[in-house]
Amino acid sequence: MRLFAAVRLSEEVRDALVKTRDELLRQGVRGRCPPPENLHITLVFIGELPDPEPVLDMTDAISFQPFPITLGEVGIFGGGILWAGIRPSDPLEHLVKRLRRGLAEAGIPYDRKAFRPHITLMRNMDPGKGLPEIRLPGSTMTVDRVTLYRSDRGKNGMIYTEIG
Ligand code: ATP
Ligand code: MG
């Protein structure tokens, strides 16, 4: 199965993001919008793995002091991915390092690209008449656990299922 570890968003943060996105749509921006329940912050992308058990063992063994994160600015990756950033956070960086180390120690491969904490809001984004000024609300939430998801291609887009 295709696996990734992520932060689940609080309802407040998710609602704030959906509102911002709705405002962009009203202003003529177009793109594929993942459903609100799909919005997340990927911490580590593992990809295909036959058995999630060793990953669950590793994530279960990680405990940390809950910490706050705050929405930052909006950005665009090549290929029309519109994303919401997270303000720089040492505890978040540290958590990702621990996850990566845990996976490496368990011999589980993962994506080693630099960590760019973000929430994908839209894909194949077409700014229409030009991307309007967007400001995200400075919504804050507490990170108190890591969630492991499996990702499956559904008829109408990706389906993420929480497995731990
Ligand atoms: P699609 O690939 O169809 O656009 P998706 O990206 O939502 O859908 P997945 O490819 O399964 O679904 O990815 C799940 C999560 O992991 C997403 O947040 C995605 O951005 C991230 N991700 C996917 N591939 C990588 C990768 N190689 N490195 C880092 N993160 C990745
Ligand atoms: Mg993908």
Side-chain angles (χ1 to χ4, degrees):
M1 55 183 83
R2 187 175 170 94
L3 299 173
F4 65 100
V7 172
R8 269 186 74 113
L9 301 184
S10 70
E11 232 168 278
E12 190 200 331
V13 165
R14 195 189 297 160
D15 289 350
L17 292 171
V18 169
K19 265 196 189 144
T20 304
R21 191 171 69 181
D22 286 347
E23 180 55 32
L24 289 174
L25 293 171
R26 266 195 298 278
Q27 299 193 28
V29 176
R30 289 290 169 260
R32 272 199 300 131
C33 294
E37 67 271 17
N38 275 20
L39 301 179
H40 64 276
I41 306 165
T42 299
L43 297 173
V44 189
F45 182 77
I46 298 152
E48 280 299 328
L49 204 67
D51 176 13
E53 243 2 272
V55 184
L56 284 167
D57 290 344
M58 190 278 293
T59 51
D60 285 349
I62 285 185
S63 68
F64 57 93
Q65 203 63 253
F67 60 88
I69 52 171
T70 304
L71 293 178
E73 277 158 25
V74 161
I76 299 168
F77 288 146
I81 292 179
L82 181 75
W83 49 268
I86 307 297
R87 295 220 189 121
S89 161
D90 286 339
L92 186 63
E93 298 284 336
H94 185 64
L95 177 58
V96 168
K97 279 197 187 123
R98 287 178 66 192
L99 287 168
R100 288 184 174 204
R101 198 183 318 131
L103 290 170
E105 281 168 1
I108 301 162
Y110 57 89
D111 187 276
R112 290 170 184 267
K113 280 198 300 283
F115 176 53
R116 294 278 306 272
H118 68 277
I119 301 153
T120 296
L121 297 178
M122 229 183 262
R123 291 193 168 79
N124 300 107
M125 197 259 302
D126 170 1
K129 286 175 283 172
L131 196 61
E133 279 279 310
I134 331 166
R135 287 208 26 231
L136 288 172
S139 310
T140 290
M141 60 168 271
T142 301
V143 178
D144 59 5
R145 71 184 296 261
V146 171
T147 303
L148 187 66
Y149 290 92
R150 66 176 288 177
S151 169
D152 295 284
R153 191 165 296 283
K155 275 212 173 87
N156 302 303
M158 301 308 280
I159 298 166
Y160 303 144
T161 311
E162 204 172 305
I163 58 173

